[in-house]
Amino acid sequence: MEIILAKNHGFCYGVKRAVEMANEAANNDGKSYTLGPIIHNPQVVGRLEDKGVSPVQEVSDIAEGTMIIRSHGVGPAIYEEAEEKGLHVVDATCPHVKKAQQDAKSVINEGMTLVILGEKNHPEVKSINLWANNEGIIIEDEESAQKLQVVEKMGVVVQTTFSQFKFNSIIDILEKKSKNLKVFKTICNATQERQNSAVDLA
Ligand code: SF4
């Protein structure tokens, strides 16, 4: 079988950074935990477990030690819970995801209707919405965009790995849904480069 590597492939900046931070935590004293697997790669998760970094589902699963937040990010309540428990927090939320979280928050603070383009059940999308009091309307296709009501002011934030092609066609529809449309194109560079490379290869 011939294997062709795309021009841009492999771990993105945010995932590399999160894995490095987890490795650093493993070298420190005390037990460390990641809130969910740090990456969708069982080999990397397994190697970290061998070094004493275990994935857990909830903050309540951690009695003491270090809690590592993965690149997808979490809502504000998780930081509060960790602080109350006196856990040491290593925040590996990707800076691009942090920006999307803060943009979503600003949309709500400015009294606009928040629309998030992304997958409803994706942890990153959930975390973005949590920073906006869970008030965002999450849509992922043109059909759902057509169904939205016309509103006075609308702000749009996008899952960092969303398709830029789909983004363009959904924004065309949303332009007719509000006279005051503010778009935060929070798709990250790594995603755009990889999507372009995939198109080139195809
Ligand atoms: S936002 Fe981009 S760089 Fe950051 S973790 Fe997601 S895909 Fe990777």
Side-chain angles (χ1 to χ4, degrees), residues 11-15 71-72 94-97 124 160-161 186-191:
F11 291 177
C12 61
Y13 152 79
V15 165
S71 57
H72 294 319
C94 178
H96 297 297
V97 176
E124 179 196 311
T160 56
T161 49
T186 43
I187 300 174
C188 84
N189 288 347
T191 298

Side-chain angles (χ1 to χ4, degrees), residues 183-201:
V183 180
F184 297 88
K185 192 178 179 191
T186 43
I187 300 174
C188 84
N189 288 347
T191 298
Q192 295 193 46
E193 286 168 4
R194 279 157 181 73
Q195 286 173 0
N196 290 336
S197 289
V199 170
D200 289 346
L201 263 190

Side-chain angles (χ1 to χ4, degrees), residues 119-136:
E119 297 164 58
K120 241 186 200 90
N121 292 319
H122 193 285
E124 179 196 311
V125 172
K126 287 184 182 172
S127 87
I128 292 171
N129 205 10
L130 284 166
W131 282 91
N133 304 329
N134 244 355
E135 291 176 25

Side-chain angles (χ1 to χ4, degrees), residues 17-26 28 32-35 38 65-71 74 79 82 87-93 98:
R17 175 176 172 270
V19 172
E20 278 165 19
M21 288 169 91
N23 272 307
E24 271 168 35
N28 295 335
S32 300
Y33 304 86
T34 61
L35 217 42
I38 192 92
T66 299
M67 181 185 87
I68 305 161
I69 298 171
R70 59 189 176 164
S71 57
V74 293
Y79 291 89
L87 301 176
H88 173 235
V89 175
V90 171
D91 190 356
T93 308
K98 276 236 171 222

Side-chain angles (χ1 to χ4, degrees), residues 101-122:
Q101 292 171 340
Q102 293 310 312
D103 288 341
K105 188 177 172 181
S106 75
V107 166
I108 291 297
N109 288 347
E110 286 174 40
M112 293 187 269
T113 299
L114 171 66
V115 174
I116 303 172
L117 308 189
E119 297 164 58
K120 241 186 200 90
N121 292 319
H122 193 285

